[in-house]
Amino acid sequence: MAEKRKTAITIRIVWFLVILFLLTTVISQLVIHYYNPLKTEPAELYTSEDYIQSTGIYIREEKTVTYSGSGVINYIYSDGEKLARNSVIAEIYASQNDLAVQLRIDELNEQIKVLRDAEKLVGSDNSQLEAFSNQIYENHTKMIQYILDGDYAAAANVKSDYLNLQSKRQIVNGTTTDYSAKIAELQSEISLLSAQISSRPTDLTLQETGYFVSTTDGYENSLTYDVIPDLTEDRINEIIKNPNIESSTTVIGKIVSDYKWKMVCIVPANNTLGIYEGATLSVRIGNEASIAKAMVEDMKILPSGSRMIVLSFDVFNQSLVRSRTAQIKIMFDEYSGIRIPSAAVHFDDEEKMGVFIKLGVTVYFVYIDMIRTEGDYVLVRDTTDKEGYLSLYDSVIVEGTDLYDGKIVLQ
């Protein structure tokens, strides 16, 4: 009897293990089939550029401005601003304190101007509120970006516009109807500050015309148009390595005579396709958002085999006059489309190219129309309106195994 009971228990254990094995097998197969960890990336627009990168040297017709007297200089003109003949380019203050007080007075006068400008909108309807709110948001975003970039002068300019819009919005939405009390308060502060200035500043006047720049780098007299034919590769590299050299302590700025200027750069011999004397090129200078047009004035073969290119520009702004060198990109072609990793590309039975996308819990195979390959990525056309093709913002599967059209994934 005991032996039969022992046999029955053994059989039950065996059946239990068999059932457990079968359940484990079935569950594991279901997991393998339906659960497949995937990594996806959204299909987003991307712009690809073909360009040659180099470092350019600015060459301009410049004349230094000197001042050998004492005092503290306050520049009236912004860098790159055009001067008329006999312009006052700076005020000379007796002390740093006098200048600081005057700058505070100027700031308060600007605030009064903003408030008086806003008061003109008293009685206006609120149809402008949305426009003001949008502009306030844009200026706030710009101001933060300028501060993060360290461009505090630009941030200060945007701040003035920001406060102006805030004041106008308060008038239009009825929060405030009168700024007279605030204006009177500011005027009182200005009167107190004015009494603290020890003496009125002396004007520094220039007879020359041109574009004023408050910074110098020491190359003003040595890098002129006349020296371009004699520039060597070693000399160009030396300037790029040391874009600032010592200049006289009496030099307080310079005048650029013309809005036209030149730039010299070196490019490898195998990258000069499309570059020839007289050609018009598209050039991105530094972080400039816009692309400038430049004419290839000259191209010279250097002993190393590289080419020295002389570019001529007729675009002029503040950011282009503050330095001697700049990273540039000579642009050739620009492509727009959707960029996806090359690893995400697959082929169907007919060798048609496509990618797998995940929609909900289902995997689909969609076709792509490739534009070009860029290293580990491919750029494909935006085929959002084309049935069976990749659409913008699809979740493209960039990592996964055992993929096929219609597969269900529990993830």
Side-chain angles (χ1 to χ4, degrees):
M1 189 71 179
E3 186 66 30
K4 288 182 178 181
R5 183 180 298 172
K6 185 176 180 180
T7 301
I9 293 173
T10 301
I11 292 172
R12 288 176 185 174
I13 293 174
V14 170
W15 274 110
F16 174 77
L17 291 174
V18 169
I19 293 171
L20 182 62
F21 172 75
L22 291 174
L23 285 174
T24 302
T25 302
V26 171
I27 292 172
S28 63
Q29 289 300 314
L30 289 172
V31 170
I32 291 171
H33 185 76
Y34 290 106
Y35 180 78
N36 186 14
L38 304 175
K39 181 180 178 182
T40 63
E41 290 184 7
E44 297 179 328
L45 289 177
Y46 180 82
T47 299
S48 171
E49 300 171 333
D50 273 345
Y51 59 85
I52 296 172
Q53 187 162 315
S54 183
T55 300
I57 298 173
Y58 293 103
I59 299 183
R60 302 170 283 243
E61 291 296 335
E62 303 168 327
K63 181 179 179 180
T64 56
V65 178
T66 59
Y67 173 72
S68 56
S70 60
V72 181
I73 299 173
N74 178 41
Y75 294 102
I76 304 300
Y77 284 81
S78 300
D79 286 350
E81 194 171 351
K82 190 170 185 178
L83 297 177
R85 193 175 299 278
N86 296 319
S87 296
V88 176
I89 65 159
E91 295 173 329
I92 312 300
Y93 286 83
S95 67
Q96 188 67 48
N97 182 69
D98 282 355
L99 174 56
V101 171
Q102 184 59 53
L103 292 177
R104 176 57 180 166
I105 290 173
D106 293 343
E107 183 181 339
L108 296 176
N109 278 321
E110 182 62 30
Q111 289 183 31
I112 291 174
K113 180 182 176 182
V114 166
L115 295 177
R116 283 178 171 162
D117 187 39
E119 283 184 328
K120 295 176 183 177
L121 294 176
V122 171
S124 300
D125 59 53
N126 60 8
S127 61
Q128 302 179 68
L129 279 177
E130 184 177 355
F132 284 146
S133 296
N134 291 336
Q135 292 176 61
I136 287 168
Y137 175 78
E138 290 175 6
N139 279 275
H140 184 261
T141 302
K142 286 181 181 178
M143 188 163 54
I144 291 175
Q145 189 58 55
Y146 282 134
I147 292 172
L148 293 174
D149 292 341
D151 193 346
Y152 301 112
N157 291 333
V158 175
K159 177 185 176 183
S160 178
D161 295 336
Y162 175 79
L163 294 176
N164 192 338
L165 291 165
Q166 286 276 27
S167 301
K168 288 180 177 179
R169 184 172 67 173
Q170 289 178 352
I171 288 288
V172 172
N173 68 16
T175 304
T176 304
T177 58
D178 185 5
Y179 286 118
S180 57
K182 181 62 177 178
I183 291 173
E185 179 186 331
L186 294 173
Q187 289 174 330
S188 176
E189 186 177 351
I190 289 173
S191 297
L192 292 173
L193 289 170
S194 298
Q196 298 177 24
I197 298 178
S198 61
S199 61
R200 301 310 304 167
T202 302
D203 291 340
L204 180 59
T205 306
L206 288 181
Q207 295 183 350
E208 294 87 348
T209 61
Y211 299 86
F212 180 73
V213 184
S214 61
T215 58
T216 60
D217 52 43
Y219 288 104
E220 284 74 22
N221 297 322
S222 59
L223 275 182
T224 63
Y225 293 164
D226 294 337
V227 306
I228 293 177
D230 300 321
L231 285 175
T232 64
E233 189 167 5
D234 287 343
R235 177 60 173 155
I236 292 171
N237 289 329
E238 178 187 346
I239 295 168
I240 292 172
K241 185 178 180 181
N242 299 294
N244 290 280
I245 56 177
E246 290 185 6
S247 58
S248 172
T249 55
T250 61
V251 174
I252 62 168
K254 62 187 174 187
I255 296 176
V256 180
S257 63
D258 196 356
Y259 71 93
K260 296 182 179 181
W261 49 277
K262 304 181 193 297
M263 177 176 277
V264 174
C265 65
I266 297 174
V267 297
N270 59 350
N271 279 347
T272 56
L273 184 64
I275 301 177
Y276 53 89
E277 189 172 335
T280 299
L281 304 178
S282 298
V283 182
R284 189 186 299 281
I285 303 173
N287 295 321
E288 289 285 299
S290 59
I291 294 177
K293 294 295 182 180
M295 187 194 77
V296 180
E297 192 170 282
D298 190 21
M299 186 165 71
K300 181 172 68 175
I301 301 176
L302 300 171
S304 66
S306 297
R307 270 54 170 175
M308 184 184 85
I309 301 172
V310 181
L311 302 173
S312 178
F313 294 83
D314 61 2
V315 59
F316 199 91
N317 62 45
Q318 187 181 66
S319 64
L320 300 177
V321 296
R322 288 178 170 175
S323 58
R324 181 58 62 182
T325 65
Q327 291 294 315
I328 66 167
K329 293 179 179 178
I330 301 174
M331 315 298 296
F332 292 103
D333 292 304
E334 185 174 275
Y335 308 89
S336 293
I338 297 172
R339 192 176 77 156
I340 56 177
S342 301
V345 178
H346 299 270
F347 294 87
D348 67 3
D349 295 338
E350 298 178 357
E351 293 299 312
K352 293 183 69 175
M353 186 182 297
V355 294
F356 288 102
I357 64 171
K358 181 173 177 287
L359 182 61
V361 296
T362 308
V363 172
Y364 295 99
F365 182 81
V366 293
Y367 296 113
I368 56 175
D369 187 0
M370 191 167 72
I371 299 174
R372 66 197 302 245
T373 301
E374 299 181 328
D376 295 332
Y377 290 86
V378 295
L379 190 70
V380 303
R381 300 187 196 284
D382 178 7
T383 49
T384 299
D385 298 327
K386 196 171 182 180
E387 187 177 353
Y389 280 75
L390 180 66
S391 296
L392 196 60
Y393 307 123
D394 277 345
S395 294
V396 179
I397 299 174
V398 296
E399 286 184 15
T401 58
D402 192 29
L403 299 175
Y404 55 86
D405 190 48
K407 180 176 181 177
I408 305 297
V409 288
L410 303 178
Q411 181 182 353

